[in-house]
Amino acid sequence: MNKFSGGIVLWLFTSLAYADALEECQSKSESTPDVSECLEQNEKLTFTNLLTAKAELSNLLSKWEVMDEYRVGSLKALNEQQDFFLKYRNSICEAEYYFQVGGTGSYNTELNCKIQMNIEQAKYLQEKINYIKNY
């Protein structure tokens, strides 16, 4: 895989996921359960992409030709950052669920929130991947 292919895959993936998955799923679904199913699939896909980007970055960092202090420190920081991100994402998106006051779209709002945050985190990780590849 060349140094640009990861970015192209992420760009293509993000384009397919759309800026607002909720709108996209609503436009192609006939009922709230159909919207939920569409969003669940999108959330799984964006989360898988996020985990793939994290694994790729971890792999690159483990082979990074810098002083051990920086290599080890960057891996530790990446793992801590990912754990913090997931806690933050879950908390923010749970709040979005409750802000809907139990309406039929509460679950869908929560899923859409996770999708958007997964996409943004994957973009961040892709930037770091590109940096390490070009270092």
Side-chain angles (χ1 to χ4, degrees):
M1 181 180 272
N2 69 37
K3 65 183 178 180
F4 298 108
S5 61
I8 292 170
V9 169
L10 180 62
W11 172 83
L12 178 60
F13 172 79
T14 303
S15 297
L16 294 174
Y18 298 97
D20 190 332
L22 181 58
E23 283 182 18
E24 177 61 24
C25 288
Q26 286 173 333
S27 72
K28 65 182 186 180
S29 300
E30 295 183 16
S31 67
T32 300
D34 291 343
V35 173
S36 297
E37 184 177 331
C38 174
L39 288 168
E40 287 168 352
Q41 291 171 358
N42 275 303
E43 197 279 327
K44 286 177 187 172
L45 190 59
T46 60
F47 189 65
T48 298
N49 189 59
L50 171 62
L51 294 178
T52 300
K54 196 253 182 189
E56 182 179 355
L57 183 55
S58 290
N59 184 46
L60 287 171
L61 290 173
S62 70
K63 298 173 185 175
W64 200 18
E65 294 182 15
V66 294
M67 291 177 13
D68 285 345
E69 171 187 2
Y70 298 109
R71 184 176 49 257
V72 171
S74 62
L75 281 165
K76 181 178 182 274
L78 173 64
N79 289 326
E80 289 173 357
Q81 188 272 349
Q82 184 74 357
D83 290 343
F84 177 76
F85 165 77
L86 291 173
K87 289 176 186 172
Y88 176 73
R89 182 205 67 179
N90 291 342
S91 177
I92 291 292
C93 296
E94 181 180 4
E96 289 296 318
Y97 172 88
Y98 287 110
F99 291 151
Q100 295 295 316
V101 194
T104 58
S106 296
Y107 179 61
N108 292 344
T109 300
E110 180 181 18
L111 286 171
N112 189 57
C113 174
K114 287 181 177 181
I115 291 165
Q116 300 314 313
M117 292 186 79
N118 289 345
I119 290 169
E120 290 305 312
Q121 179 68 0
K123 285 180 186 178
Y124 168 80
L125 294 174
Q126 187 62 52
E127 288 172 7
K128 301 305 170 203
I129 289 167
N130 293 340
Y131 174 79
I132 298 299
K133 285 183 176 181
N134 292 310
Y135 183 80

